[in-house]
Each structure stands twice: as structure tokens, then as C-alpha cells.
Amino acid sequence: MKTGDINGVFNAMKPERHKVKSINEVAEFQKESVIISPLNKVNEMKTKIQNILTSIKGDRIIKDKNERAILLHTITNEISENIEKYMGVSLQSNKIILTADKIRHSMRNNKPQNKKASEQDLLNIFKLANFEKHFYYDLKNKNMLLFFNTYEPTNDVLYLAITPNYMTKEYGVINQIVTISKFKKEDYKSRIKTLIKLK
């Protein structure tokens, strides 16, 4: 009662597996216990995304949680500091993660064709590191947004909406891509007018 640490009192004399943990401790454990390998090689990245696309076309769900997540990008300190400065959001992770579920959702049959990213767009999505100059924050929806040209020589812009500090069961707290879509290039300036540029 004097310490004020109810967890400490509850955990006293209990074996490790029966001790209670805070949400933050559990998230940190999950984050460390699941290895999302940084995919430095272009071919390795393409292979992993291709496997996900193949599973979607074959209507197969990937069970291996390490195969279900792709580490796309590491946010620079400069952008992390700007997010905290302008939005008051302190990133708990500097990793941007794309999961098989989000790829599946972006390729769903009922999504309008003019908003659907192509398979080639998804295979080239790892080029995020080259597009930090098109990194924005949507203050209204509390999302980070990345914009870049689609792979095909069309008049389209692909965008990724990223939810910061997204809590997942498999990977702990991450910055997860929640939307992949596209729009006409001539709409770009009007789209970014209400956004805050992060770099």
C-alpha cells in the first residue's frame, strides 16, 4: 500500500508466467518477439509482395505472421520530430509496415477500378525512401500520407494512408499502412492544400 505499485504487490511471489503486465510492456514484448526483417534487396521485397499477391489471387490466407508483414520504410528522425512538433504525436516506432490484409483489402473486387492500385504499383511500393519529399500529415484524420506517381505512365498519383502508433496483436505498436489508393494527378495540389508537409 505504501509503494502505490499494485502490479508489484500482485506479482510478488508469483512465477514469471503468472505475473501481470501493462499494455506497454506487452506491446514491447510482442514487438521484440516478432522479427520483421528489413528487406534491403529489391528482389527479396518483390518476392515477398508477389507471394502475397499470388495468395490473394488464389484466395489463400497466409498464416505465418512473419510472412504477413513487410517492413517498407524507416521514418527519419527529422520527420519524427516534425510529427511531434506540429501534431503533438510521439511515434512509438519509426517503422512503416504493410500487412497482407491491407494488400488484400486494396485489391478487393468491389473497389472502383479508377482507385485501385495495380499489381505493378504494389511491387514498386518499396521505393518509399525516395518519396519523403511527398510526406504529409492529415491533421483531421490523424494519418500520415505518402504520395508518388503510379508505375504505369498514366495521369495518376498513388497514395498511402498510414496510421501512426497502430496497436496490433501480432507486431505490437507500429505505423501501419491502412489505405492504398490513387487519384488523378491534376487533383494533387487540391488534395495537399489542407495537409501539413513533414519535410
Side-chain angles (χ1 to χ4, degrees), residues 101-128:
D101 288 340
K102 296 306 176 185
I103 293 179
R104 176 181 289 274
H105 187 259
S106 73
M107 301 294 288
R108 68 191 187 278
N109 292 331
N110 63 344
K111 185 165 186 173
Q113 199 61 39
N114 65 319
K115 294 184 178 182
K116 189 183 293 188
S118 70
E119 288 190 23
Q120 196 61 52
D121 284 329
L122 293 171
L123 286 171
N124 283 275
I125 218 168
F126 58 85
K127 294 180 179 176
L128 289 180

Side-chain angles (χ1 to χ4, degrees), residues 70-165:
I70 301 167
L71 171 56
L72 280 184
H73 184 55
T74 302
I75 299 171
T76 62
N77 290 336
E78 179 185 358
I79 287 182
S80 291
E81 289 166 6
N82 282 343
I83 290 172
E84 186 159 10
K85 176 182 176 182
Y86 296 120
M87 279 62 68
V89 176
S90 179
L91 294 184
Q92 296 178 40
S93 168
N94 63 348
K95 309 299 183 190
I96 295 178
I97 306 297
L98 175 60
T99 64
D101 288 340
K102 296 306 176 185
I103 293 179
R104 176 181 289 274
H105 187 259
S106 73
M107 301 294 288
R108 68 191 187 278
N109 292 331
N110 63 344
K111 185 165 186 173
Q113 199 61 39
N114 65 319
K115 294 184 178 182
K116 189 183 293 188
S118 70
E119 288 190 23
Q120 196 61 52
D121 284 329
L122 293 171
L123 286 171
N124 283 275
I125 218 168
F126 58 85
K127 294 180 179 176
L128 289 180
N130 299 323
F131 297 98
E132 283 201 337
K133 62 182 178 180
H134 298 290
F135 213 147
Y136 291 83
Y137 193 88
D138 182 348
L139 196 56
K140 181 181 177 182
N141 296 308
K142 308 297 183 188
N143 275 341
M144 296 181 284
L145 299 172
L146 268 168
F147 301 94
F148 51 98
N149 293 333
T150 53
Y151 177 80
E152 295 89 351
T154 60
N155 199 31
D156 294 325
V157 172
L158 196 70
Y159 78 92
L160 312 178
I162 305 153
T163 299
N165 300 335

